[in-house]
Every structure is written in structure tokens, then in C-alpha cells.
Amino acid sequence: MKNQRDKLHQYQKRITVLTDRETAIAKECLARNDRKRALLALRRKKYQESLLAKTDAQLAQLEQLTSQVEFALVQKDVLFGLQQGTQVLNTIHKEMGGIEGVEKLLGENEEARAYQEVWCSHFFALAL
């Protein structure tokens, strides 16, 4: 697509040179009082300008397509990153044993805390 864009830019430059040349020819013809050839040169210039307008439209469309493709590539990379993140989270979830494993761990933690409180209260009661 970028090659196509570069070719369109080159084509625009050629058309611009042609329109400038047609303007110069029209001026020369008017200077010689050759109105018929001057009008012909101006008609050719108008045709070249219409080609230039079409080329501008094609360039705009090409730029839009290029940006859409680049955006799609970014979306693809983001999706791939999300998929990898999901896989990592699933692996961590499996290693933790899921919700049941977390609840079991919290329960064990609560039992250990209760045991520690009983032991500490018993120790302090003996120390007094």
C-alpha cells in the first residue's frame, strides 16, 4: 500500500508539471492572439486538474485503508496480550486451587489465629 501511495504522489507531481505547462501554453497562445489553441490548452489543463482531484481522493482512501490496517494490527497485538494474560491468570488460579483453595487457606489461617490467641492468653495467664 505504501508503494501505491508513493506512485500516486509521483503521478501527482507529473500532473502538476503538465498543468503548469498547459497554463504556459495558453498564455503563449493568447500572446500570439491564437484564442482557439489557448482554449484547447485550458481544456487540457482542466482535464489534468480533474485527474489530480481523483488522485487526491485515491490518496485519501489509501491513507484511510493504511490507518485501518495499522489499527487492526494493534488490536491483534492487544488481543494476543489479553489471551496470554488470561492463560497466566488461569494457571495461577489452578495453582491456588480455585475459590475453594482460598477459602480453605483462609479457614486454616483463622484456626491458626484462634490457636495463637488461646496460647497467648494461656501464656499470659500463667505469667501473671
Side-chain angles (χ1 to χ4, degrees):
M1 279 195 278
K2 291 181 181 182
N3 288 336
Q4 187 68 24
R5 181 192 62 201
D6 293 341
K7 287 180 183 179
L8 284 173
H9 280 299
Q10 291 171 355
Y11 183 68
Q12 278 183 321
K13 288 177 185 177
R14 283 191 305 238
I15 290 176
T16 303
V17 168
L18 286 174
T19 56
D20 293 343
R21 181 67 184 133
E22 292 297 339
T23 303
I25 290 172
K27 287 179 182 179
E28 290 171 10
C29 290
L30 284 176
R32 290 183 307 207
N33 287 330
D34 190 358
R35 184 180 166 154
K36 186 176 179 182
R37 287 185 188 236
L39 287 175
L40 179 62
L42 290 175
R43 270 189 242 122
R44 286 192 305 233
K45 177 186 172 190
K46 186 175 181 180
Y47 173 73
Q48 297 296 335
E49 287 174 342
S50 71
L51 290 178
L52 196 57
K54 288 178 185 177
T55 305
D56 286 338
Q58 288 177 342
L59 268 173
Q61 185 178 10
L62 192 59
E63 290 294 331
Q64 183 182 13
L65 288 173
T66 302
S67 67
Q68 287 175 349
V69 166
E70 289 172 351
F71 183 71
L73 289 173
V74 169
Q75 282 182 320
K76 182 187 130 217
D77 290 342
V78 168
L79 181 61
F80 181 72
L82 288 173
Q83 288 172 339
Q84 284 185 323
T86 301
Q87 289 174 352
V88 168
L89 286 174
N90 285 337
T91 302
I92 291 171
H93 185 71
K94 285 178 186 175
E95 288 176 4
M96 290 175 49
I99 294 175
E100 295 83 18
V102 172
E103 289 175 351
K104 180 182 173 189
L105 183 62
L106 288 175
E108 290 172 359
N109 204 11
E110 187 64 35
E111 288 175 15
R113 188 177 312 134
Y115 175 76
Q116 184 179 7
E117 287 176 8
V118 169
W119 186 81
C120 286
S121 64
H122 180 68
F123 178 75
F124 285 121
L126 289 176
L128 293 175

